[in-house]
Amino acid sequence: MRPIIFSKMDFSHSNLFGYIEDLQELTIIERPVRRSLKTPEEIERLTVDEELSDIERAVFLLSSGQDIQGTSVVANLPVLMRQNPAETLRRVLPKIREVLHVAGVEMQLTAAVSFLTVLQEESVSIHTYSHSFLHIILQNVEHRDAGVSNAWLETLLAVIEALPKETVRHEILNPLVSKAQLSQTLQSRLVSCKIMGKVANKFEAHIVKREVLPLVKSLCQDVEYEVRTCMCRQLEHVARGIGTELTKTVVLPELVELARDEGSSVRLAAFETLVNLLDMFDADDRSQTVLPLVKSFCEKSFKADESILVSLSFHLGKLCNGLYGIFTPEQHLRFLEFYKKLSTLGLQQENGHNDNQLHLQTLEQEKKYISVRKNCAYNFPAMIVFVDPKNFNLELYSIFFCLCHDPEVPVRYTMAISFFEVAKLLNSDVYTIHKELVTLLQDESLEVLDALVGHLPEILELMTNGGENSGSESKLLSIPDLIPALTTAEQRAATSLKWRTHEKLLQKYACLPHIISSDQIYYRFLHRMLTIILTNNVLPVQKAAARTLCVYLRYNRKQEQRHEVIQKLIEQLGQGKSYWNRLRFLDTCEFIMELFSKSFFCKYFFLPVLELTHDPVANVRMKLCCLLPKVKSTLKIPTDKHLLQQLELCIRKLLCQEKDKDVLTIVKRTVLELDRMEISVDAEQLEKEKQKNEGRSTNINDKMLEKKCRDSKTSSVLAKSINLSVSGSSSGTSVGKEEKKSKLVRSQSFSTQVLHPKYTNIDKCPNKSSATAYTSSVSGMGKSCMLSFSDDSFRTHSSGNSGNAAFTSSSSRNLFNSADQKNSGNKDSQSRKMSIIQLVPEWEGGMGQSEEKTENQTPRSSDRKMREPEIGGSNVLVR
């Protein structure tokens, strides 16, 4: 078909039919897709009555449905068992058992998984499960398809762990004797080997010795190498079940014989089993039996048996440390040299051999050699332990350098993963591998960088603070190389399509305040984080950069730099033109609330956040409403009272002015949440304000006290003048003068007393305003030192030389009306005169004394006593 180039299309008559032919060819390609649709007859056969129950539908589909429908029923078996286990066991499971005899591979695999799920969910008791499901599993475990057989075998091995011992013994172990015979199929014997390994851990050692070990020996001598290999790998489980004594006498001889087997896969299985069982052998077995076998494996691996080379390189670290105590210095050196040789395997350049046959042979072995070097990188921490970290520079640094600079990515990837373990082992000598850290940070493969970043904070901390012997000079010298490597790594991750690696790297860079100075962070990393927030298009990357930026800001102690960053965050994010930037501003504020103090957020970010309530984009307002509960939690009362008012005002505006229904729904939900929240109280600030208010009230009281003292002095002067006028106007003997004087003193003492409740009742007073003013004055509230009786105020009159004061107001007469009625005749006039004489000093000078005593709250006992003046031989009590 000719290519259609639309930019140069010619619609002339000669070329038009060529394009039509091309379009016809395109329609032919689409026809098979249309023919693959189901016909009405097929749809009819696949249709099931909707009124059938789940159990009836399952039985119907298993009986007359197609394979895909039957597979669906089998996959849905765990659900049916949860809903109706009795009916499922009675009606559905027998149908499944019938169908599995002729079922295909897909249904068989689905059934194995479903049976295992039913066991794990414990839908029925283990007794019911073994009665209903176990026989179906045993029937299909020897399926002719290897994949199906392995699937059923995995289910059976899981069932063996849950079954009672007696059930395992009767249903599985006893039939196993016949199935392990040479007369059985290869698949049957392979299944028997795996069951042996599982059953050995189920029973006691004496039962295993009597009933299992004879079968194990028989299978180890099987004529098929697949059976010998399978049984050899199960010897580890058998040894764990029978203990060290039987392992030494029964299992170890079998392993030695299998290690010399003619089949390479059998020898490989024997070698790996020996390495895994090193902890069960004593020193004699290791030195006399295991070590010679291992030495022979190492010698043959480069000469005649390269098939064991990959496995040997993988287990070499475990092997060297397991046999460490029995090595002689010569053997120790030999194994170390063997490891070095494996670490550079395939990297040596052959000179003088350029023929094609050698080149093809090298290509065939390349993958194997890469796997060997990768395994050496995996075992490098174990080899440091083997040679002692103190000898690292002398023995292993050259190998470490080669592995970190290996041309193959899998090798460098493995070194990056194990770099942290190497750094921990080196401890104070960790500075010696700084160059390799820089190399891996600048690696061209992002997979290597991703592997290294996982423990980057711990590695950097060890690099800068590792040990006493590292010295401050080495740390300072390492930083200039480290910072460019870190920036290069971030830039390479940013330009790639692997945003998860970039996100992970930014998250780990939050550790830098503990590694380098704040100035280096400010000039090399902080502004880069802000740029990523503004320009990157991946949300997780932006959030990671925002959080790391907040961490940098948290540890920056220079106020100028802090204010600059805060200003940029508010202007470029919070007030940015793009709504996406404003959303990121809210994310950043959330991180600030997490990392900073509440007062810091309220000082710099509270009001800029509230300004977004007027944002024209609904998504921004919606995100803000979701953030408001966290915003309110930063407030403290009474310090942030004005901010709380601003918050409430914004919420009211949202409730009243919001038109977007989704935002309004979130606003209402947020209001309910805010109402349930309790604002934290600043106890220290409250105490300060309390002390301030107390000091202010104390100053006011002092001023009032001074005023009262001045008033009391004025009243005393007035009282003396009244005394003089009264004494000067009296005529008669000295007895009369003394009597008047005593009356005046008594009236002054009465001025400090409170009126009797009978006369202070407001309801009984004819003038309420007068009574109120009077009551407040005599009770010492300190509000006013003058009596205000409205129009009926007290008036004093002097008539001739008598100097007697009299009330002219009607209220004054009414106030003591009830007291005056108790006396008659001369007593009425005399008592009225006495009352006037007693109240005049209280009007003129007694108020200051009364208030002063109320202020001190400790009146003298002589003031508290009521004195009864004697007038005309009768006692009159005036209060």
Side-chain angles (χ1 to χ4, degrees):
M1 184 176 70
R2 296 187 302 274
I4 302 176
I5 305 175
F6 292 95
S7 61
K8 298 180 180 180
M9 288 185 66
D10 184 7
F11 291 99
S12 61
H13 186 272
S14 59
N15 293 327
L16 185 59
F17 290 100
Y19 297 132
I20 293 175
E21 291 175 359
D22 293 335
L23 294 175
Q24 288 177 349
E25 290 179 7
L26 292 174
T27 58
I28 293 173
I29 295 174
E30 294 182 356
R31 283 176 187 172
V33 178
R34 295 176 182 175
R35 290 177 181 175
S36 64
L37 298 176
K38 299 295 182 183
T39 62
E41 292 79 9
E42 292 174 332
I43 295 176
E44 181 73 21
R45 289 198 303 269
L46 293 172
T47 303
V48 182
D49 189 2
E50 295 182 357
E51 295 182 357
L52 295 176
S53 65
D54 292 340
I55 300 296
E56 293 173 344
R57 185 184 300 111
V59 173
F60 174 77
L61 293 176
L62 289 171
S63 302
S64 57
Q66 296 187 359
D67 289 343
I68 187 172
Q69 293 175 318
T71 303
S72 176
V73 173
V74 173
N76 200 43
L77 180 63
V79 179
L80 296 176
M81 288 295 299
R82 289 195 297 268
Q83 294 176 351
N84 195 346
E87 286 297 309
T88 303
L89 293 175
R90 188 175 67 87
R91 301 182 60 185
V92 179
L93 193 60
K95 285 292 182 181
I96 293 177
R97 184 173 186 173
E98 294 176 4
V99 172
L100 287 177
H101 286 294
V102 294
V105 174
E106 185 177 359
M107 185 180 290
Q108 288 279 353
L109 295 175
T110 305
V113 175
S114 295
F115 280 31
L116 181 59
T117 304
V118 172
L119 174 69
Q120 293 171 345
E121 292 181 353
E122 299 180 355
S123 302
V124 292
S125 63
I126 191 62
H127 176 75
T128 304
Y129 187 91
S130 61
H131 178 75
S132 303
F133 291 88
L134 183 58
H135 293 287
I136 303 176
I137 296 173
L138 292 173
Q139 287 175 1
N140 293 279
V141 78
E142 296 180 13
H143 197 274
R144 59 184 178 274
D145 186 273
V148 173
S149 177
N150 290 331
W152 283 110
L153 181 60
E154 292 299 323
T155 302
L156 178 60
L157 296 178
V159 171
I160 289 175
E161 292 184 358
L163 289 177
K165 292 182 180 179
E166 290 301 320
T167 304
V168 174
R169 188 169 187 175
H170 292 293
E171 299 293 339
I172 298 174
L173 186 57
N174 292 340
L176 201 62
V177 177
S178 60
K179 293 182 180 296
Q181 301 300 321
L182 290 174
S183 58
Q184 298 292 325
T185 63
L186 175 63
Q187 185 65 28
S188 178
R189 302 204 300 277
L190 290 174
V191 170
S192 299
C193 292
K194 295 181 180 180
I195 294 176
M196 289 292 179
K198 182 64 68 174
V199 169
N201 292 318
K202 189 75 176 178
F203 297 99
E204 291 78 6
H206 66 277
I207 297 177
V208 175
K209 180 181 178 180
R210 184 177 67 250
E211 300 185 11
V212 177
L213 285 183
L215 296 176
V216 170
K217 291 182 178 181
S218 173
L219 293 171
C220 286
Q221 305 296 328
D222 196 275
V223 295
E224 299 292 340
Y225 75 92
E226 294 98 331
V227 178
R228 298 198 302 273
T229 302
C230 185
M231 192 65 247
C232 185
R233 295 192 180 278
Q234 297 300 320
L235 286 178
E236 179 183 356
H237 303 291
V238 174
R240 304 289 180 189
I242 62 178
T244 55
E245 293 298 328
L246 288 175
T247 298
K248 181 178 180 179
T249 58
V250 178
V251 176
L252 185 56
E254 293 293 335
L255 282 174
V256 171
E257 186 175 352
L258 291 170
R260 301 187 178 96
D261 195 273
E262 59 184 7
S264 60
S265 62
V266 180
R267 296 195 301 272
L268 179 61
F271 170 75
E272 293 178 354
T273 304
L274 276 172
V275 175
N276 293 332
L277 290 176
L278 279 176
D279 59 328
M280 296 194 68
F281 301 139
D282 54 22
D284 294 337
D285 293 332
R286 295 178 187 178
S287 59
Q288 297 176 9
T289 306
V290 178
L291 183 57
L293 285 175
V294 173
K295 290 172 62 177
S296 64
F297 279 126
C298 295
E299 293 172 358
K300 293 179 181 180
S301 59
F302 284 103
K303 297 179 181 179
D305 197 3
E306 286 192 352
S307 61
I308 201 175
L309 200 58
V310 177
S311 178
L312 183 60
S313 63
F314 181 76
H315 292 91
L316 189 60
K318 186 176 181 179
L319 188 63
C320 290
N321 286 279
L323 299 176
Y324 180 81
I326 63 172
F327 279 150
T328 62
E330 181 182 356
Q331 291 171 339
H332 187 279
L333 182 60
R334 179 179 297 180
F335 274 88
L336 180 59
E337 292 298 326
F338 180 73
Y339 172 77
K340 292 180 179 180
K341 188 175 182 180
L342 292 178
S343 300
T344 58
L345 186 64
L347 297 179
Q348 297 88 351
Q349 297 180 356
E350 299 290 341
N351 295 325
H353 300 280
N354 296 325
D355 52 52
N356 294 331
Q357 184 177 1
L358 182 60
H359 182 66
L360 291 174
Q361 184 179 1
T362 304
L363 291 177
E364 292 175 357
Q365 293 179 344
E366 185 176 1
K367 287 186 178 181
K368 183 184 295 184
Y369 291 161
I370 293 173
S371 298
V372 170
R373 297 200 304 273
K374 179 183 176 182
N375 291 337
C376 290
Y378 167 77
N379 283 298
F380 194 84
M383 296 309 296
I384 293 179
V385 177
F386 181 65
V387 301
D388 197 321
K390 296 179 181 179
N391 300 322
F392 172 78
N393 288 334
L394 182 62
E395 300 290 350
L396 288 177
Y397 178 75
S398 60
I399 300 300
F400 183 76
F401 179 86
C402 291
L403 292 173
C404 289
H405 292 81
D406 195 276
E408 299 299 329
V409 173
V411 181
R412 302 197 305 273
Y413 175 83
T414 308
M415 284 304 299
I417 291 178
S418 60
F419 198 95
F420 175 54
E421 296 296 330
V422 173
K424 283 196 303 183
L425 290 171
L426 292 180
N427 195 8
S428 60
D429 295 330
V430 68
Y431 65 92
T432 58
I433 60 173
H434 171 262
K435 293 181 179 179
E436 285 67 36
L437 173 63
V438 173
T439 300
L440 293 176
L441 281 172
Q442 297 175 340
D443 196 278
E444 60 182 8
S445 173
L446 283 178
E447 295 179 2
V448 177
L449 179 62
D450 186 79
L452 184 66
V453 164
H455 290 286
L456 185 62
E458 295 86 351
I459 294 172
L460 293 179
E461 186 176 358
L462 288 171
M463 286 289 179
T464 54
N465 304 317
E468 300 176 354
N469 297 331
S470 59
S472 59
E473 184 178 355
S474 300
K475 298 176 189 177
L476 294 175
L477 290 175
S478 68
I479 292 177
D481 295 333
L482 181 63
I483 294 176
L486 293 173
T487 55
T488 302
E490 189 278 322
Q491 291 172 359
R492 289 188 60 258
T495 55
S496 69
L497 297 177
K498 297 183 178 180
W499 63 266
R500 289 183 176 85
T501 301
H502 193 199
E503 177 196 12
K504 186 178 180 181
L505 190 69
L506 294 176
Q507 290 173 347
K508 299 300 181 180
Y509 275 17
C511 72
L512 292 182
H514 304 288
I515 309 300
I516 57 180
S517 65
S518 61
D519 283 338
Q520 290 171 321
I521 291 176
Y522 179 77
Y523 291 110
R524 301 300 295 271
F525 296 98
L526 194 147
H527 291 286
R528 174 61 182 167
M529 298 299 149
L530 184 59
T531 303
I532 293 172
I533 299 172
L534 292 170
T535 60
N536 199 281
N537 296 324
V538 182
L539 179 58
V541 173
Q542 287 181 308
K543 286 188 174 183
R547 193 182 192 284
T548 302
L549 185 145
C550 293
V551 173
Y552 292 165
L553 187 64
R554 171 72 175 81
Y555 287 95
N556 193 309
R557 298 302 180 188
K558 294 188 176 181
Q559 293 299 324
E560 300 83 3
Q561 296 177 357
R562 265 197 172 191
H563 287 305
E564 180 186 351
V565 176
I566 292 171
Q567 193 68 20
K568 286 185 177 181
L569 287 174
I570 295 173
E571 292 178 355
Q572 300 182 19
L573 290 180
Q575 300 172 0
K577 295 181 179 179
S578 173
Y579 87 98
W580 189 255
N581 289 341
R582 299 196 295 274
L583 287 174
R584 300 294 73 78
F585 176 72
L586 293 176
D587 291 331
T588 306
C589 289
E590 195 168 359
F591 294 133
I592 287 173
M593 285 186 282
E594 174 189 348
L595 297 171
F596 288 81
S597 64
K598 296 180 179 180
S599 59
F600 180 87
F601 175 80
C602 292
K603 182 178 180 181
Y604 295 105
F605 294 96
F606 192 93
L607 294 178
V609 167
L610 293 186
E611 288 178 2
L612 294 179
T613 54
H614 309 290
D615 197 278
V617 180
N619 285 1
V620 178
R621 302 196 302 274
M622 192 179 302
K623 187 174 182 66
L624 172 63
C625 293
C626 297
L627 194 63
L628 285 180
K630 289 186 178 181
V631 172
K632 185 179 179 181
S633 66
T634 62
L635 298 177
K636 287 185 178 181
I637 296 300
T639 309
D640 303 322
K641 189 183 299 182
H642 63 290
L643 296 180
L644 179 61
Q645 294 173 353
Q646 293 291 330
L647 176 63
E648 293 174 350
L649 180 61
C650 291
I651 294 173
R652 290 194 197 100
K653 289 183 178 179
L654 285 172
L655 286 171
C656 298
Q657 302 175 4
E658 185 57 54
K659 298 179 181 179
D660 189 280
K661 60 179 182 180
D662 296 328
V663 179
L664 188 58
T665 302
I666 295 179
V667 170
K668 293 178 180 178
R669 189 173 64 214
T670 304
V671 168
L672 295 177
E673 185 175 355
L674 291 174
D675 288 340
R676 290 192 296 266
M677 290 180 62
E678 294 183 359
I679 303 178
S680 58
V681 179
D682 191 348
E684 184 177 354
Q685 187 66 22
L686 277 178
E687 186 65 25
K688 289 181 180 179
E689 290 196 3
K690 183 178 179 182
Q691 294 176 358
K692 187 176 180 180
N693 293 334
E694 288 179 354
R696 187 180 303 168
S697 63
T698 303
N699 294 333
I700 294 174
N701 292 335
D702 292 341
K703 292 179 180 179
M704 293 182 63
L705 185 59
E706 292 177 2
K707 185 176 181 181
K708 291 174 185 177
C709 292
R710 290 195 300 269
D711 294 340
S712 63
K713 291 179 180 178
T714 305
S715 63
S716 62
V717 171
L718 290 174
K720 290 179 180 179
S721 63
I722 292 173
N723 259 338
L724 291 174
S725 63
V726 172
S727 60
S729 62
S730 61
S731 60
T733 61
S734 61
V735 178
K737 294 180 180 180
E738 296 234 350
E739 185 176 336
K740 291 181 180 180
K741 187 176 181 181
S742 63
K743 292 179 180 178
L744 180 62
V745 172
R746 286 199 298 272
S747 66
Q748 290 178 351
S749 67
F750 291 154
S751 67
T752 62
Q753 302 300 325
V754 184
L755 288 176
H756 194 276
K758 179 178 179 181
Y759 304 110
T760 58
N761 193 341
I762 297 176
D763 296 334
K764 296 182 180 180
C765 291
N767 193 328
K768 293 184 179 180
S769 62
S770 301
T772 304
Y774 184 76
T775 305
S776 62
S777 65
V778 297
S779 61
M781 295 299 292
K783 291 183 181 179
S784 175
C785 294
M786 291 184 65
L787 292 172
S788 176
F789 281 82
S790 298
D791 296 332
D792 302 328
S793 59
F794 284 120
R795 296 189 182 94
T796 58
H797 300 274
S798 58
S799 58
N801 296 329
S802 63
N804 291 332
F807 285 119
T808 60
S809 65
S810 61
S811 62
S812 61
R813 290 193 299 269
N814 294 333
L815 184 63
F816 300 96
N817 189 27
S818 60
D820 294 339
Q821 290 176 357
K822 293 182 180 180
N823 304 291
S824 58
N826 294 330
K827 292 180 182 179
D828 292 341
S829 60
Q830 291 175 357
S831 62
R832 190 176 294 111
K833 291 178 182 180
M834 179 60 66
S835 299
I836 295 172
I837 293 172
Q838 289 171 344
L839 287 174
V840 168
E842 184 173 355
W843 160 247
E844 294 181 348
M847 284 300 300
Q849 297 173 0
S850 175
E851 288 178 0
E852 185 175 2
K853 291 178 182 178
T854 305
E855 183 72 25
N856 296 331
Q857 293 295 323
T858 55
R860 294 189 303 272
S861 59
S862 60
D863 295 334
R864 291 195 297 268
K865 293 180 181 179
M866 305 301 297
R867 305 181 65 177
E868 301 178 359
E870 297 180 2
I871 300 177
S874 63
N875 296 333
V876 179
L877 176 62
V878 180
R879 297 192 179 187

